[in-house]
Amino acid sequence: MSALKSILHQFPPPPQHGHMTALEKDGQMMDFPDTLPAPSLIDYPEIVLSKESINRTNLRYEKAQLAFLSTGQASWKRFINTGFSEGLFKMMEEITEANDEVPPWISSTCKVIVSLVEVAKTLSMSFFAQSFITDEEIFLKYMHVNNWLKSPIQCIAWHPHVAKAAVALRDDSVHIYYSGNSLSPILKHKLQKQVADLTWQPLSASVLAVACKTCVLVWHVEPTSLAVRPSASTAQVLHCTSQSPVTSLAWSPDGSLLISASPKHNSIIIWDVPKENGVVQKQSTGRGVSFLSYSPDGTKLFTATPSKMFRVWSTKHWQWENWSNLIGPCTAASWSPDGSALVFAMEGDSALYAVRFPVGGDGDGVSAVSLSVLLADVSPVNYSMHDGSIVRAGGQVKSIVWDGTGERLAVMLETNETGSDQFVAVFKTTIHPLMELLPGGFVKGKSGESAVHIAFMPNCSKGALLSVVWSSGRVGYVPMFFIPAQKIHHRSSANFDPLSPGPFLFQR
């Protein structure tokens, strides 16, 4: 799409160099020098990673790599190290190339095996492409975190009811942060490897699900406990080695079901957690499930795939409706708070699209009330700054989050190689009677920082609170002060009729 159509032309310029976004007031984003401490205007957990913590997670991975580096040892030792670090196939490839270091019959045998495996792999990839993608490629491509492998924080999850957050670090530990409480429990388990997603159980104060390489861990973290390191016995293990690695989780809004998925496997698992029983719902096409999202009303489940299609399931009978012939795979999506709209973005396209669905009813069907529509083009735009420099913002969408009022939509634009700076674009939104995105402003971090993860804190009483994980490991907050239009409507309507149509009521 042409940048001339980009809605970002209507955005005010981002903060100048040396400044960072502080808050939204009177409908405008305000900034201040990034050398000053951030103002504390809303009660939220203070998430601070020490330099030692960041360095420790970096060293963990560096040491793991150094353990297998060749240091001039004998050939057979080098081959064994390659086998341990990269697998049997890589070991045979190395033996094939080392003609002068091994007997000819061993080299030729490995060469034949490697050739046969390559042929079989080529044939299989045309039908099961995702089965051959490495875990590292999965995390880079499908996580809603920019540069997941290098980010000090792998993912963050807000509790749906209280000011509490779970944060997963690169060393696979999960830290719990409370508002007004210095106690920060640390969750560790021998099976807690390659943590890719976190989600709190709705209507519960203590249950946290963690997506790991070979399982889902369901921790029971009592908020009144003083234990800094809860015992591993407080975690249920939902084994799903056939779905490895698990990269996406979603609780049903009533907390009765937990869904897990992986881009490598063409199915979702529906868990009855108390019974530790999982039911597999297999998809006929799609080549895996890259991420999940339950609609807030509980009647629908969105599943993206690595192919040019996504599904919306009816959770009553677990039947689905396909949305295919997309420009590219779906990279991000978010439900409106009432479950009536889905905003999504696609790979290879710098735009936001929307689909409307009926709200309420018996949940038998998931048919949309209209075709998908283009909401906004977010192609890159150049901005002339006060100091004469040019700043570029825009591009493909990495993550979309909607606040609980339905009036703010934050979009994290993916870091790319086109010279675009890393910003988060915030839109003002309306859902009823028509869906509309209006220009808001940009969220910018300190100099040298780029956004790696975004999320709205639920139940903010003064408007909305956007949390941003920055590449430095800093977790920043952007309060957005406004009175939701629905509250204004209720206050100004003395004779409110719940049956009459209006801009803030669900309509079928």
Side-chain angles (χ1 to χ4, degrees):
M1 292 185 179
S2 169
L4 293 176
K5 301 177 183 178
S6 179
I7 193 173
L8 300 183
H9 275 294
Q10 303 174 36
F11 272 58
Q16 60 183 312
H17 180 73
H19 282 233
M20 61 185 292
T21 305
L23 57 97
E24 177 195 320
K25 183 180 179 183
D26 299 328
Q28 302 293 323
M29 289 293 182
M30 305 180 69
D31 60 79
F32 68 105
D34 59 17
T35 54
L36 299 178
S40 180
L41 303 174
I42 292 182
D43 187 25
Y44 49 73
E46 186 177 1
I47 302 173
V48 179
L49 301 186
S50 64
K51 290 184 179 180
E52 292 76 16
S53 176
I54 295 175
N55 292 336
R56 186 168 62 249
T57 59
N58 289 338
L59 286 173
R60 179 178 182 272
Y61 283 83
E62 291 171 5
K63 288 180 179 179
Q65 293 296 324
L66 289 172
F68 297 104
L69 287 179
S70 173
T71 56
Q73 73 270 51
S75 299
W76 65 272
K77 289 184 178 180
R78 191 175 76 250
F79 298 149
I80 291 174
N81 285 342
T82 301
F84 275 113
S85 62
E86 300 183 60
L88 182 61
F89 183 70
K90 285 291 184 183
M91 183 182 73
M92 287 192 292
E93 281 187 321
E94 187 169 333
I95 292 174
T96 300
E97 296 171 0
N99 295 320
D100 57 342
E101 299 180 53
V102 296
W105 68 271
I106 294 180
S107 176
S108 58
T109 300
C110 288
K111 185 175 182 180
V112 171
I113 295 174
V114 168
S115 298
L116 291 174
V117 171
E118 289 288 357
V119 171
K121 184 176 178 180
T122 301
L123 292 173
S124 299
M125 283 189 70
S126 60
F127 299 99
F128 309 105
Q130 293 306 117
S131 299
F132 294 92
I133 190 172
T134 66
D135 289 356
E136 181 174 311
E137 290 171 326
I138 283 177
F139 295 133
L140 283 174
K141 187 170 184 178
Y142 299 119
M143 296 299 96
H144 289 163
V145 176
N146 274 326
N147 206 357
W148 186 87
L149 290 174
K150 292 185 178 180
S151 171
I153 293 178
Q154 306 285 251
C155 49
I156 183 170
W158 285 99
H159 194 282
H161 312 301
V162 297
K164 178 167 64 174
V167 177
L169 304 185
R170 279 179 58 189
D171 63 357
D172 293 320
S173 64
V174 176
H175 299 240
I176 311 299
Y177 294 90
Y178 302 87
S179 177
N181 191 336
S182 59
L183 181 67
S184 179
I186 302 174
L187 310 181
K188 289 188 176 182
H189 194 284
K190 64 181 180 180
L191 296 177
Q192 194 165 282
K193 306 295 182 183
Q194 293 184 354
V195 176
D197 199 10
L198 304 168
T199 180
W200 292 95
Q201 182 183 29
L203 309 181
S204 168
S206 61
V207 180
L208 174 72
V210 182
C212 308
K213 180 176 175 59
T214 60
C215 66
V216 176
L217 291 176
V218 182
W219 289 91
H220 297 262
V221 187
E222 293 300 331
T224 57
S225 172
L226 298 178
V228 178
R229 285 285 300 274
S231 168
S233 63
T234 62
Q236 290 177 266
V237 181
L238 307 180
H239 293 283
C240 42
T241 53
S242 61
Q243 203 183 45
S244 175
V246 183
T247 60
S248 189
L249 299 172
W251 284 101
S252 60
D254 63 0
S256 62
L257 298 174
L258 176 67
I259 317 295
S260 65
S262 169
K264 276 194 174 182
H265 301 275
N266 202 28
S267 62
I268 60 174
I269 299 180
I270 305 170
W271 294 96
D272 183 334
V273 174
K275 297 180 180 179
E276 297 184 0
N277 179 48
V279 176
V280 176
Q281 288 286 350
K282 190 173 180 62
Q283 303 178 134
S284 56
T285 56
R287 300 181 181 178
V289 179
S290 51
F291 67 95
L292 306 162
S293 182
Y294 239 110
S295 66
D297 61 4
T299 62
K300 299 174 286 294
L301 177 73
F302 169 86
T303 59
T305 74
S307 61
K308 296 179 181 181
M309 66 171 294
F310 64 78
R311 288 187 175 87
V312 178
W313 300 66
S314 165
T315 58
K316 184 174 183 179
H317 300 297
W318 294 106
Q319 298 173 336
W320 68 74
E321 191 173 80
N322 289 337
W323 290 77
S324 56
N325 300 321
L326 304 178
I327 295 173
C330 185
T331 57
S334 182
W335 289 100
S336 64
D338 62 5
S340 69
L342 179 75
V343 173
F344 66 94
M346 294 173 285
E347 185 179 316
D349 188 30
S350 301
L352 298 171
Y353 298 84
V355 182
R356 298 297 295 261
F357 294 89
V359 177
D362 56 12
D364 277 332
V366 294
S367 294
V369 297
S370 65
L371 298 175
S372 61
V373 296
L374 173 64
L375 274 183
D377 185 324
V378 290
S379 298
V381 171
N382 292 331
Y383 296 89
S384 298
M385 308 304 289
H386 294 303
D387 60 2
S389 62
I390 301 296
V391 171
R392 186 174 175 85
Q396 293 193 50
V397 175
K398 183 70 173 179
S399 180
I400 305 170
V401 292
W402 217 324
D403 90 297
T405 68
E407 297 193 26
R408 294 296 183 272
L409 185 80
V411 177
M412 185 169 67
L413 303 170
E414 189 169 10
T415 303
N416 51 50
E417 311 227 344
T418 63
S420 296
D421 288 288
Q422 180 61 45
F423 300 111
V424 176
V426 177
F427 294 88
K428 302 171 186 177
T429 60
T430 58
I431 303 173
H432 299 288
L434 297 175
M435 182 176 297
E436 188 176 14
L437 262 60
L438 300 174
F442 288 111
V443 172
K444 175 183 176 294
K446 295 182 179 180
S447 298
E449 289 183 332
S450 59
V452 297
H453 183 276
I454 56 174
F456 276 106
M457 176 180 169
N459 304 316
C460 182
S461 60
K462 300 178 182 180
L465 179 63
L466 178 68
S467 63
V468 184
V469 177
W470 298 99
S471 54
S472 63
R474 183 177 67 89
V475 179
Y477 298 92
V478 181
M480 301 176 188
F481 297 105
F482 61 90
I483 299 176
Q486 189 166 4
K487 288 186 178 181
I488 297 174
H489 177 74
H490 286 316
R491 291 175 182 176
S492 62
S493 300
N495 299 314
F496 177 69
D497 181 0
L499 298 180
S500 64
F504 311 113
L505 299 181
F506 302 158
Q507 300 183 31
R508 296 185 60 191

